[in-house]
Amino acid sequence: METATPAATLFGLPMSIVGLLIAIFVLIYLVLRTRVHAFIAMLIAASIAGIFGGLSATDTIAAISKGFGGTLGSIGIVIGLGVMMGRILEVSGAAEKMAFSFIRFLGEKKEEWALAITGYIVSIPIFVDSAFVVLYPVAKALAKNSKRSLLTLGVALAGGLVVTHHTVPPTPGPLGVAGIFGVDLGAMLLSGMCFAVPCVLGMVLYAQWLAKRYPDFNREAFSDDELRDKLDTYIEQQEAKKLPSLFLSLLPIVLPIALIFIKAIVDIVAKTTMTDEAALQAFQAGGLYQTVAFIGHPIVALAISVLIAVYTLLPKTSARETAIYLEEGVTSAGIILLVTGAGGALGAILRDSGAGKELAEHIANHLPFSPIMIPFIVATLMRFIQGSGTVAMIAGASISMPILAEIEGINMLMAANAATMGSLFFGYFNDSLFWVVNRMMGIAEVKTQMIVWSIPTTIAWGIGGALVALANLVFGKGGSIVDPLLPLVILGLVMAYVMHMNRQLNAK
């Protein structure tokens, strides 16, 4: 299929760009104002972008099919295996074991850090909403001694959960973004985990401030009898439970990450030390490299992890029950697979219509910030408009990747991280986790709900966006000092608004 080269213009813009603008408007309208699901809305948007961009109807359908299949072909199996593993960790008690172990290790007065670390690890394979429901009783039990704020513990837990859910594969969203940008999954894992740490730190520090802002929250959340319960009671209850060991609980998460990292490190070492192309090819054809490459491939690494999880975390569970658990995990990933594939279809349309090339030329000459911020901005806008972080990052990656591919020297790994960080922005009413967190903690007042959850997600967004922009200045090409200032300035404005709301609440 030949790439369209439309000569027609409208209002001085090439028709490929006009088609993209109309498609984005339709996508936003359908998601925001109608009952059309994001998956169908993205397919409609892709069709509009193709036809308005100069492609024939048959070429548009062909591009949609190619983009959908190509994207899912690279990451669909990995997503399925990842959610299977997450479901096993959830039902086996492994997630709760991790929380309890970290709490015992860090000791009293550091429970929020223990819960944040637990969330950071657990949400890599487990869906964030489910993980919070499973682990929130741990936070509530710890707060019953009346010495720690339930707000602090709950937000710290949710903060650890939400950041890695948005940034670290094999969570489906980051996996889809990695596939769309064509970046190495091991590099995406490592960079996502590194960028996530400062984001979580910022959310925990904010969670500690919430305890000072709402000092009487525990008395509103608990009865007098519950407040008299001590931490010792929780410790005794946990020790009485038949939970898997910490080693077995962590093994299904750590093992695939380690295998993928080993493969990535071997590749880097081989390419940097073997300057002769023939020697490199001979090494890659050898048995050692082939073994490492095989077990270090994400599909194989996660398949091994699922098998280990089944036989170590559910040793006495029947084959039928095990199959049900695994199928429940796959069911939860179904719509994410469709949305991810639709994102790939939209990206293919932008490439074949020529919109990506046209936009790249305009952006390179007119934007005050570097192109690396495009996926960050698009994901931010999509997150604010429709709420889903997964849809936001997939849309950000799908729209921006064909543009960035036309600009020389773009670090696609940084671009992928920019898309995932943009999807953290201001979780509020259209975000399911917003309601899970606030309802489970019993918060009903709208301004308080936003202070408790919308602001910490924005803090993570600002920190993460600035860090990715700074990393691009060091490791990328064409970065600008304006890039890290953009999220920080917006974060400052949001925080100023929060302080204003806080003063209003104090005045009542």
Side-chain angles (χ1 to χ4, degrees), residues 89 193 253 333 390 494:
L89 291 173
M193 293 178 73
I253 300 175
T390 300
V494 172

Side-chain angles (χ1 to χ4, degrees), residues 5 69 93 95 153 186 231 287 341 344 390 441 485:
T5 55
L153 299 182
L231 181 64
T390 300
M441 289 198 287
L485 292 178

Side-chain angles (χ1 to χ4, degrees), residues 425-437:
F425 184 74
F426 204 79
Y428 75 127
F429 309 128
N430 54 7
D431 174 22
S432 62
L433 187 59
F434 174 90
W435 295 111
V436 171
V437 170

Side-chain angles (χ1 to χ4, degrees), residues 98-157:
M98 282 182 250
F100 172 60
S101 300
F102 290 134
I103 289 162
R104 289 292 300 272
F105 176 74
L106 291 174
E108 291 189 42
K109 304 300 181 184
K110 296 180 182 176
E111 291 89 351
E112 66 268 34
W113 296 105
L115 289 173
I117 293 170
T118 303
Y120 176 95
I121 296 172
V122 166
S123 196
I124 292 175
I126 301 179
F127 281 107
V128 63
D129 294 26
S130 300
F132 187 80
V133 172
V134 169
L135 292 173
Y136 179 71
V138 178
K140 196 167 185 179
L142 292 172
K144 284 180 184 178
N145 65 353
S146 76
K147 294 179 181 179
R148 303 315 312 274
S149 170
L150 179 58
L151 268 182
T152 295
L153 299 182
V155 172
L157 169 63

